């Protein structure tokens, strides 16, 4: 008989720390030494063990990959977006990981209909007439195990392209500039950048952002073409460790805006291209607890700043202010605060505003038409929503760079309807579908059912759940409903909303009889700012209790059973599933923790680590406050591993992740193996050449997801189902 694989056993090397009179012992902190050959050997041994333990799933993994590939149009072309004199779009090619960025000239300035190939369904997707390839991403990725394109930005004249690349996975990018007339690269090379470049209106210089040793975006620079990076001008330095800095340009092209923001407070500076001699000015000085953003609009013939702020209520108000430094008391309401509607963002155009908002757990797109000078109420015309019919959906704008464009490009999806691109013509109020992402093989959304359910949390709060399943999968022998295997996903942090979305890979679950659900737990933003506030700091336990309430509701309502229920979360969602594993291990058949923030207390005690100080407003500062220390210690997954019979756990991480270090899941799995009782089935899978987002390249990412889904199906008892 062949012996079962033996898991690696990490040495126990105790280190003791003391904070606020509390002593804490950690046996596995030595795994933090990333450059140590011993640590590398341990991670590689874990990878070997994971492969051995999942060898029986190799055929299923390949089948899932083949299904994803067969359903995807590999050679394809995105809907072109108009920017000044060109239409810009992306292309993908069968057999290539990354694709290309392209453009064609605008033929008729009055025609806003995007060009398409003559035969849209042709398998080879012919190039558009006059196509210019701006970036061949596969050529840029050649020779690198990892590749990511960061920001790419066309100069105002359309003759230069600044683009940023990362070939390591640590999200520190290098900017290069390409002359689109000659196809040659300029000598300019800017290293250590986060994000991309923001062009000045003259097109001869650009702004960019760099990070400090803790990976906090803290400096804004201006680079002039033809000069060395060492000669770049420092435009702004954010010295408060709780704040990050960023730079952008208004859609009108008139203003460069520099943002400084923490999770609770904001401050903006602006540079007026019409009056550059005034320099960079503070719009409104930071006040603790006051968040705002800044944009430029022309309303009633008058140039104004649009200020989206929480000064009059937690769900934000839209106000106007003059083009000058202006204190909050002088901001004039445009859309008043409404506790039932969370205003999230606003896009200003010459003839209308597009307001991104959410209500009752769903996203909404709101159009506010601008009246001619001297007309309308405060210069405003009609105010209305773009309506859709599905019970659960996600809608948002999708690439609208032109200030004077009369159409709004928007994206729409549900859990059964593939991502769709529409143009909404504000002049005629016509909504035109431009494209629905193709799903090959005869896919029909009507074959799937999707629902909004509501669970009741421990404190009586109603928590929304979005669920999708193949129609008929729950039908029992007598015509009633039977429980089905179900994958429950959660996140619950940073006011990030996990809205309903479509996934081709997910079909490999649904078509084998499983269901998929999203628990919209507190800590996210699905139900407004209150939802976020009630799931952070000293109310973080609500996030975990909400997730457990959703799981129990799915069981009690007959959707699934504990032995069929798998939980999944990534990053802060990894903390979520790690916490519920400690609090209710009996409720789950398996847990997937992607790049999981499971050693939260250790991370938040070390101000030198990436992002720690900027996260104090989210988690608290356990180094300075004993109450925060005790509260975090009460839920941090690593600190609460116990002698419990945990469900099988798959922890996935990346060696070069700068957001959640690989050491967190590595330590967690080591402690689980040493402490747990019963099944003790724990796997650690580390990508040795990737960052927080995992592997790069679409085929690699398909293989990566296939691995996870095969493990999930195995936990559900569906591994043998075709």
């Amino acid at each position: 008989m062949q012996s079962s694989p033996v898991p690696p056993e990490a040495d126990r090397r105790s280190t003791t720390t003391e904070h606020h009179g509390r002593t804490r012992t950690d046996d596995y902190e030595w795994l933090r030494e990333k450059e140590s050959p011993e640590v590398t050997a341990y991670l590689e041994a874990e990878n070997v063990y994971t492969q051995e333990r999942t060898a029986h799933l190799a055929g299923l993994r390949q089948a899932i990959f083949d299904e994803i590939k067969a359903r995807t149009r590999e050679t394809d072309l995105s809907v072109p977006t108009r920017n000044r004199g060109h239409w810009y779009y992306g292309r993908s090619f069968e057999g290539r990981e990354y694709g290309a960025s392209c453009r064609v000239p605008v033929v008729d300035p009055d025609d806003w209909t995007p060009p398409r190939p003559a035969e849209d369904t042709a398998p080879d997707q012919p190039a558009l007439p006059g196509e210019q390839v701006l970036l061949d991403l596969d050529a840029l990725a050649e020779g690198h195990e990892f590749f990511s394109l960061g920001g790419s930005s066309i100069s105002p004249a359309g003759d230069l392209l600044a683009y940023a690349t990362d070939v390591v996975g640590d999200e520190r990018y290098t900017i290069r500039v390409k002359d689109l007339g000659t196809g040659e690269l300029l000598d300019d090379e800017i290293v250590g950048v986060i994000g991309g470049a923001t062009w000045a209106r003259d097109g001869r210089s650009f702004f960019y952002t760099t990070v400090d040793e803790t990976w906090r975006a803290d400096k804004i620079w201006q680079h002039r073409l033809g000069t060395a990076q060492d000669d770049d001008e420092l435009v702004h330095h954010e010295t408060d460790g709780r704040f990050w800095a960023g730079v952008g340009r208004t859609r009108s092209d008139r203003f460069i805006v520099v943002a400084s923001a923490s999770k609770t407070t904001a401050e903006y500076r602006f540079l007026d291209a019409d009056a550059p001699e005034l320099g960079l000015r503070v719009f409104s000085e930071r006040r603790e607890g006051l968040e705002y953003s800044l944009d430029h609009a022309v309303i009633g013939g008058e140039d104004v700043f649009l200020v989206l702020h929480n000064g009059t209520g937690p769900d934000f108000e839209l106000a106007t202010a003059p083009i000058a430094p202006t204190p909050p008391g002088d901001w004039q309401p445009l859309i008043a605060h409404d506790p039932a509607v969370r205003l999230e963002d606003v896009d200003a155009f010459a003839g209308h505003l597009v307001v991104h908002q959410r209500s009752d757990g769903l996203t909404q797109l709101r159009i506010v038409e601008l009246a001619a000078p001297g007309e309308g109420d405060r210069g405003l015309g009609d105010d209305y929503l773009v309506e859709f019919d599905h019970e659960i959906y996600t809608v948002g704008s999708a690439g609208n760079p032109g200030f004077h464009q009369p159409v709004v490009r928007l994206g729409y999806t549900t859990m059964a309807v593939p991502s769709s691109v529409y143009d909404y013509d504000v002049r005629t109020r016509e909504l035109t579908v431009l494209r629905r992402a193709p799903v090959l093989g005869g896919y029909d959304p009507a074959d799937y059912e999707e629902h909004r359910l509501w669970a009741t949390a421990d404190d009586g709060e109603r928590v929304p759940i979005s669920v999708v399943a193949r129609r008929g999968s729950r039908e029992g022998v007598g015509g009633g409903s039977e429980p089905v295997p179900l994958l429950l996903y959660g996140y619950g942090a940073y006011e990030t909303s996990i809205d309903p979305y479509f996934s081709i890979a997910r079909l490999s679950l649904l078509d084998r009889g499983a269901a998929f659900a999203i628990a919209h737990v507190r800590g996210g933003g699905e139900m407004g700012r209150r939802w976020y506030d009630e799931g952070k700091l000293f109310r973080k336990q609500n996030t975990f209790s909400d997730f457990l309430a959703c799981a129990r509701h799915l069981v009690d309502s007959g959707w699934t059973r504990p032995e069929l229920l798998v939980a999944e979360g990534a990053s802060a969602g990894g903390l979520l599933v790690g916490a519920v594993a400690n609090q209710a291990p009996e409720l789950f058949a398996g847990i997937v923790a992607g790049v999981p923030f499971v050693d939260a207390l250790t991370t938040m005690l070390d101000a030198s680590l990436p992002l720690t100080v900027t996260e104090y407003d989210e988690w608290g500062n356990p180094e300075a406050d004993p109450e925060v220390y005790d509260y975090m210690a009460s839920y941090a997954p690593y600190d609460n591993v116990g002698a419990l019979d945990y469900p099988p756990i798959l922890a996935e991480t990346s060696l070069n992740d700068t957001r959640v270090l690989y050491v967190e899941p590595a330590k967690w799995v080591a402690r689980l193996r040493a402490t747990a009782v019963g099944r003790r089935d724990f796997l650690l899978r580390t990508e040795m050449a990737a960052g927080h987002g995992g592997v790069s390249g679409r085929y690699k990412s398909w293989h990566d997801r296939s691995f996870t889904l095969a493990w999930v199906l195995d936990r559900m008892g569906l591994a043998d189902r075709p």
Side-chain angles (χ1 to χ4, degrees):
M1 291 181 60
Q2 187 175 7
S3 60
S4 298
V6 178
E9 185 176 345
D11 289 346
R12 302 180 73 157
R13 305 174 189 175
S14 296
T15 58
T16 300
T17 57
E18 185 172 320
H19 295 86
H20 316 296
R22 287 82 160 158
T23 300
R24 186 165 175 258
T25 300
D26 191 338
D27 292 332
Y28 304 107
E29 182 63 14
W30 65 272
L31 290 170
R32 191 175 299 277
E33 298 298 324
K34 179 181 175 182
E35 304 303 324
S36 166
E38 188 178 15
V39 171
T40 300
Y42 175 76
L43 296 176
E44 290 175 342
E46 287 281 8
N47 282 345
V48 170
Y49 174 69
T50 297
Q51 287 296 331
E52 291 174 343
R53 282 293 315 280
T54 60
H56 65 291
L57 299 174
L60 179 58
R61 290 196 293 264
Q62 186 61 47
I64 294 172
F65 174 84
D66 291 342
E67 290 163 11
I68 297 171
K69 190 171 184 289
R71 291 178 174 128
T72 302
R73 181 180 289 170
E74 295 180 69
T75 298
D76 206 355
L77 183 151
S78 68
V79 179
T81 296
R82 181 168 162 178
N83 188 6
R84 298 185 176 89
H86 289 84
W87 293 96
Y88 292 85
Y89 55 97
R91 295 191 66 189
S92 60
F93 305 90
E94 183 176 356
R96 290 170 57 175
E97 293 277 10
Y98 300 101
S101 299
C102 309
R103 72 177 182 182
V104 295
V106 171
V107 177
D108 181 356
D110 296 323
D111 185 1
W112 285 86
T113 305
R116 296 295 294 170
E119 296 293 336
D120 188 57
T121 57
D124 58 347
Q125 285 288 309
L128 296 178
E131 178 175 276
Q132 178 185 13
V133 176
L134 306 180
L135 291 176
D136 181 337
L137 303 183
D138 289 278
L140 292 174
E142 189 173 352
H144 302 290
E145 289 188 63
F146 178 91
F147 174 80
S148 173
L149 178 69
S152 60
S153 179
I154 297 286
S155 64
D159 58 338
L160 299 173
L161 171 66
Y163 65 94
T165 59
D166 168 20
V167 295
V168 177
D170 62 0
E171 298 183 73
R172 288 172 170 85
Y173 290 82
T174 297
I175 295 176
R176 297 301 308 269
V177 180
K178 183 176 183 179
D179 186 322
L180 298 180
T182 66
E184 300 296 322
L185 291 178
L186 305 188
D187 292 335
D188 305 72
E189 184 177 64
I190 311 298
V191 300
V193 174
I194 184 169
T198 297
W199 286 98
R201 192 163 70 174
D202 63 7
R204 309 319 302 167
S205 67
F206 59 77
F207 299 86
Y208 63 92
T209 308
T210 58
V211 298
D212 64 12
E213 63 278 0
T214 67
W215 201 70
R216 177 180 67 93
D218 70 326
K219 292 185 178 74
I220 308 297
W221 305 82
Q222 184 172 12
H223 173 75
R224 289 173 173 79
L225 297 180
T227 66
Q229 184 174 2
D230 289 344
D231 297 328
D232 288 352
E233 177 186 354
L234 179 62
V235 174
H236 175 65
H237 182 198
E238 179 51 63
T239 58
D240 188 328
R242 293 170 51 234
F243 284 69
W244 52 263
V247 62
R249 190 176 70 241
T250 60
R251 185 176 281 100
S252 65
D253 283 340
R254 178 173 167 182
F255 296 95
I256 294 291
V257 290
V258 172
S260 291
S262 71
K263 298 194 183 298
T264 60
T265 306
E267 180 180 76
Y268 274 70
R269 290 167 170 80
F270 65 96
L271 178 65
D272 189 345
D274 287 351
E277 69 280 0
L278 297 177
L280 195 65
R281 292 181 284 170
V282 175
F283 170 70
S284 181
E285 294 183 352
R286 66 188 68 178
R287 301 183 184 185
E288 187 62 34
L290 178 63
E291 301 171 62
Y292 71 88
S293 62
L294 205 61
D295 200 0
H296 170 229
V298 181
I299 299 178
E302 180 183 358
D303 287 282
V304 297
F305 279 134
L306 291 177
V307 189
L308 188 64
H309 68 93
N310 67 343
T312 56
D315 287 301
F316 286 70
E317 172 180 279
L318 184 62
T320 61
I323 304 298
T326 309
D330 293 335
W331 300 348
Q332 299 300 311
L334 198 65
I335 299 177
H337 175 266
D338 180 349
V341 179
R342 169 68 162 96
L343 303 183
E344 295 190 321
D345 200 3
V346 60
D347 296 325
F349 300 87
H352 56 276
L353 309 177
V354 178
V355 180
H356 304 256
Q357 61 185 45
R358 62 175 60 244
S359 181
D360 201 26
L362 293 175
T363 54
Q364 297 176 335
L365 211 60
R366 178 176 182 174
I367 306 296
V368 181
E369 296 182 3
L370 301 180
E375 299 180 5
D377 178 19
R378 296 165 298 162
L380 303 182
D382 290 346
D383 180 344
Y384 53 91
L385 297 177
V386 181
E387 301 282 0
F388 294 92
D389 295 331
H390 289 95
E391 180 183 3
I392 54 174
Y393 62 86
T394 301
V395 63
S397 64
N400 293 285
F403 186 65
H404 294 281
Q405 66 184 63
V407 297
V408 177
R409 176 70 53 81
L410 60 91
Y412 178 84
T413 188
T414 79
M415 297 177 80
V417 176
S419 298
S420 305
V421 178
Y422 291 82
D423 267 354
Y424 180 79
D425 193 318
V426 180
R427 300 165 299 186
T428 62
R429 300 190 182 180
E430 292 180 335
L431 187 65
T432 303
V433 61
L434 301 177
R435 170 185 167 90
R436 175 173 289 175
V439 182
L440 306 183
Y443 177 79
D444 185 351
D447 292 338
Y448 301 83
E449 56 178 310
E450 45 188 339
H451 304 282
R452 171 57 56 87
L453 310 177
W454 296 87
T456 302
D458 293 347
D459 60 358
E461 186 67 71
R462 297 177 73 235
V463 183
I465 307 169
S466 298
V467 62
V468 62
R470 188 170 181 86
R471 200 173 296 279
S473 62
R474 296 194 296 146
E475 289 183 5
V477 176
S481 295
E482 289 188 350
V484 296
L486 189 143
L487 178 61
L488 179 62
Y489 188 88
Y491 186 75
Y494 307 114
E495 204 178 0
T496 297
S497 300
I498 307 299
D499 293 310
Y501 65 96
F502 179 82
S503 165
I504 283 181
R506 187 198 300 147
L507 296 177
S508 294
L509 281 181
L510 304 184
D511 288 354
R512 285 175 171 83
F516 175 82
I518 303 169
H520 302 288
V521 297
R522 279 175 283 186
E526 287 91 339
M527 302 292 286
R529 174 52 67 89
R530 176 185 68 86
W531 206 244
Y532 170 50
D533 289 339
E534 292 184 3
K536 68 173 186 174
L537 295 172
F538 287 109
R539 290 182 280 186
K540 190 62 197 172
Q541 178 58 38
N542 285 335
T543 303
F544 318 134
S545 299
D546 285 359
F547 191 84
L548 292 174
C550 291
R552 292 187 175 108
H553 178 80
L554 290 165
V555 170
D556 294 343
S557 60
W559 269 91
T560 191
R561 297 194 304 266
E563 62 269 25
L564 302 175
L565 177 59
V566 177
E568 182 177 16
S571 195
L575 181 150
L576 163 61
V577 296
V580 301
N582 290 327
Q583 296 178 18
E586 74 286 351
L587 197 53
F588 304 98
I591 288 176
V592 178
V595 291
F597 186 40
V598 284
D599 192 15
L601 183 55
T602 298
T603 295
M604 295 307 297
L605 282 167
D606 189 347
S608 70
L609 290 177
L611 303 179
T612 292
V613 176
T614 59
E615 302 275 285
Y616 286 158
D617 292 324
E618 182 79 21
W619 312 100
N621 182 354
E623 188 175 21
D625 188 334
E627 291 187 33
V628 172
Y629 182 99
D630 290 341
Y631 188 70
M632 291 195 70
S634 74
Y635 69 74
Y638 182 64
D639 291 84
N640 289 278
V641 170
L644 304 171
D645 183 12
Y646 288 90
I649 293 175
L650 172 62
E652 300 178 304
T653 187
S654 298
L655 186 64
N656 295 322
D657 192 340
T658 53
R659 299 177 187 238
V660 179
L661 302 184
Y662 73 91
V663 68
E664 298 202 25
K667 290 170 57 177
W668 183 47
V669 168
R671 179 171 278 185
L672 282 165
R673 285 219 189 96
T675 310
V677 297
R679 289 164 288 182
R680 299 175 68 248
D681 184 359
F682 311 116
L683 301 180
L684 174 67
R685 181 167 172 255
T686 304
E687 288 293 342
M688 304 301 282
H692 192 65
V695 296
S696 65
R698 59 174 176 167
Y699 295 107
K700 292 178 184 176
S701 68
W702 295 350
H703 277 296
D704 194 59
R705 190 57 181 163
S706 297
F707 184 98
T708 306
L709 291 179
W711 186 89
V712 168
L713 286 166
D714 198 30
R715 302 283 70 74
M716 293 173 167
L718 296 177
D720 296 328
R721 183 172 296 188

